Amino acid sequence: MNNFPNIFLVTLAAIVLTACDFTVSLSEKPEMRIDKNATGLWQRTKPDGDTESLLILPLDEYEYFISWPEGAKTELYARAHLFELTGMTLVQLQWFGNSDGDIPDDDRNYQYADYTIKATTLTIRLLNADIIGRDFHSADELAQAIVAERDNPELYRDALTFRKM
């Protein structure tokens, strides 16, 4: 899969659907450069007609800052970066706080996603923890669970689609 730049955005949108899924980091040190096409303000229309914004900014050449939902009463903040896992390019999101000044009260602050960008459309898919599980003691255990399900059509949750503003 050569959509590694798109993966980052998928992870960001994922937080919209659920609380953080994992306690384990799969990638301790960012080594892949950011996808500059992923940066900026993105917006989607939810099924109820409301809009939701996702802000992706570069922190440096290797990491992103994520704010979701941007402009909401309470925004969630994450650091994100791209990494490769046995031929799959994924985005690792680490949620670290919100606009109310709250920080996570447990270690379950990681999510993983893939993404694609086509013209002005960003599509994000979060890993489905209901399929691979949530309670892993090591990065190796989590990586093995993801690889074991890589061909499962339910490996990712429903896609979130954003338009660049």
Side-chain angles (χ1 to χ4, degrees):
M1 175 184 283
N2 259 344
N3 294 326
F4 66 88
N6 297 337
I7 296 172
F8 172 73
L9 298 177
V10 172
T11 305
L12 298 179
I15 194 70
V16 172
L17 298 177
T18 184
C20 296
D21 295 318
F22 305 103
T23 60
V24 176
S25 169
L26 287 173
S27 172
E28 291 299 324
K29 182 178 178 196
E31 296 179 357
M32 295 178 75
R33 291 189 183 276
I34 66 169
D35 175 3
K36 292 184 180 180
N37 293 321
T39 62
L41 182 62
W42 299 86
Q43 192 171 72
R44 76 179 190 120
T45 302
K46 299 187 318 185
D48 65 5
D50 288 344
T51 59
E52 189 168 69
S53 296
L54 171 66
L55 179 64
I56 303 171
L57 298 174
L59 282 174
D60 57 34
E61 295 178 50
Y62 300 95
E63 285 188 284
Y64 302 93
F65 167 80
I66 308 297
S67 174
W68 180 89
E70 174 65 22
K73 181 179 178 196
T74 300
E75 298 170 358
L76 304 174
Y77 303 131
R79 295 177 77 104
H81 68 269
L82 303 171
F83 71 100
E84 188 162 327
L85 176 67
T86 63
M88 300 167 52
T89 300
L90 297 173
V91 177
Q92 175 174 288
L93 289 111
Q94 182 178 14
W95 298 95
F96 61 84
N98 67 31
S99 58
D100 293 334
D102 297 328
I103 59 173
D105 58 1
D106 64 18
D107 291 337
R108 197 171 294 278
N109 57 359
Y110 292 98
Q111 286 187 312
Y112 300 95
D114 80 352
Y115 75 101
T116 56
I117 298 174
K118 292 183 182 175
T120 60
T121 301
L122 166 66
T123 302
I124 298 172
R125 299 182 309 158
L126 290 171
L127 281 179
N128 187 347
D130 291 337
I131 297 299
I132 60 173
R134 286 184 172 76
D135 298 317
F136 298 95
H137 301 308
S138 71
D140 286 340
E141 284 181 7
L142 175 55
Q144 289 174 14
I146 293 168
V147 171
E149 295 293 340
R150 77 180 310 149
D151 295 326
N152 185 334
E154 295 181 16
L155 176 61
Y156 297 97
R157 296 182 186 140
D158 290 341
L160 301 173
T161 302
F162 293 83
R163 306 256 337 144
K164 189 131 192 191
M165 301 312 298

